[in-house]
Amino acid sequence: MRVLLVEDNTELVSLLKKGLLRGGVDADSVGTAGDAAHALATMTYAAVVLDLGLPDEDGISLLRGLRRGGDATPVLVLTARDGVSDRVTGLRAGADDYLAKPFAMEELIARIEALLRRPGSLLGRRLTLGNLALDTESRQVFVEGGTHAFPARETAVLEILLRRSGNVAAKRLFEDQLFGLSGDVGSNAVEVYVHRLRKLLGDAGATVKIHTVRGVGYLLTEDKVG
Ligand code: CA
């Protein structure tokens, strides 16, 4: 689970990151609307925390642009402005929730968790293919009624594959989701996790197959032969 923090106050960013991590949520951060637009164009985040007062562009314009482009990522708007009109503007521009500064860290975490749980967001709770299912909240894997707890990164790889099943998932997508913008990704890191996941799925008896599409990424299909 990875969220994007769009906030130019570095002190606040560092507090937010620590608070989110305690709640089991990883975060990338950017300090300008331009960098945010770039990050959102290249990565898929579970949610965005958006400060309205950014140095280069108003957060509201960024949000409007996102929604116009069809991006439905849940967005929680942060602002120092306390007026009702700003709140309404934010919600009209497509924000899912709103929090005025100053706020308690616990409240922000609780609001983000609520956004991630909200039905109708991009986060389907249970993803299935063949005899395999993944509960995206409990992170448990089910095969033929048996329950498995795979390691976190192998589970993250599986989630991406299931969300894209039938389509090739680009290698870049795995690197982004597993390691974030700041992560140092070894050239074989994704291969290693895919290899481990193949073994876990095979041992569990899952009737799915991970295909390597050379130079592009990976594809998950149902393996009807078993
Ligand atoms: Ca600001």
Side-chain angles (χ1 to χ4, degrees):
M1 184 77 63
R2 186 172 287 275
V3 303
L4 179 66
L5 302 176
V6 187
E7 167 62 72
D8 57 320
N9 179 334
T10 50
E11 220 170 295
L12 180 57
V13 165
S14 126
L15 283 172
L16 287 174
K17 279 191 167 175
K18 278 183 205 142
L20 287 167
L21 204 55
R22 273 199 300 274
V25 176
D26 289 312
D28 286 335
S29 61
V30 290
T32 65
D35 287 346
H38 179 71
L40 288 162
T42 51
M43 284 192 54
T44 307
Y45 288 96
V48 177
V49 176
L50 175 65
D51 177 35
L52 290 190
L54 296 169
D56 56 338
E57 190 191 341
D58 194 293
I60 289 288
S61 322
L62 176 76
L63 179 56
R64 285 206 182 101
L66 265 188
R67 295 309 189 221
R68 262 201 306 272
D71 190 323
T73 306
V75 173
L76 185 149
V77 160
L78 286 186
T79 179
R81 308 168 208 181
D82 201 18
V84 171
S85 67
D86 286 319
R87 210 169 310 184
V88 171
T89 306
L91 295 172
R92 280 207 182 125
D96 297 270
D97 199 0
Y98 174 98
L99 199 53
K101 295 177 187 174
F103 53 83
M105 188 60 63
E106 292 72 24
E107 179 167 15
L108 178 68
I109 307 282
R111 299 265 195 118
I112 291 173
E113 285 171 354
L115 276 187
L116 298 177
R117 277 196 304 269
R118 190 169 286 183
S121 77
L122 293 176
L123 299 166
R125 195 188 143 94
R126 196 177 173 95
L127 304 168
T128 62
L129 185 68
N131 65 355
L132 170 75
L134 168 69
D135 185 312
T136 59
E137 276 185 28
S138 71
R139 314 304 290 167
Q140 283 185 316
V141 176
F142 304 90
V143 179
E144 295 273 340
T147 308
H148 306 266
F150 292 175
R153 282 186 166 162
E154 284 80 341
T155 307
V157 168
L158 179 61
E159 180 174 355
I160 295 166
L161 287 168
L162 280 167
R163 287 192 188 285
R164 296 266 163 157
S165 66
N167 296 300
V168 177
K171 192 177 158 193
R172 174 67 196 278
L173 187 63
F174 295 93
E175 292 171 349
D176 288 346
Q177 287 284 319
L178 293 177
F179 308 106
L181 289 178
S182 56
D184 285 326
V185 187
S187 61
N188 288 324
V190 174
E191 280 88 347
V192 168
Y193 288 109
V194 168
H195 176 79
R196 290 184 195 162
L197 178 61
R198 277 198 182 108
K199 171 130 181 40
L200 288 165
L201 291 172
D203 290 348
T207 58
V208 297
K209 192 167 181 199
I210 304 172
H211 307 265
T212 302
V213 183
R214 283 187 60 190
V216 183
Y218 299 94
L219 170 68
L220 186 71
T221 63
E222 192 171 356
D223 185 9
K224 292 193 172 120
V225 183

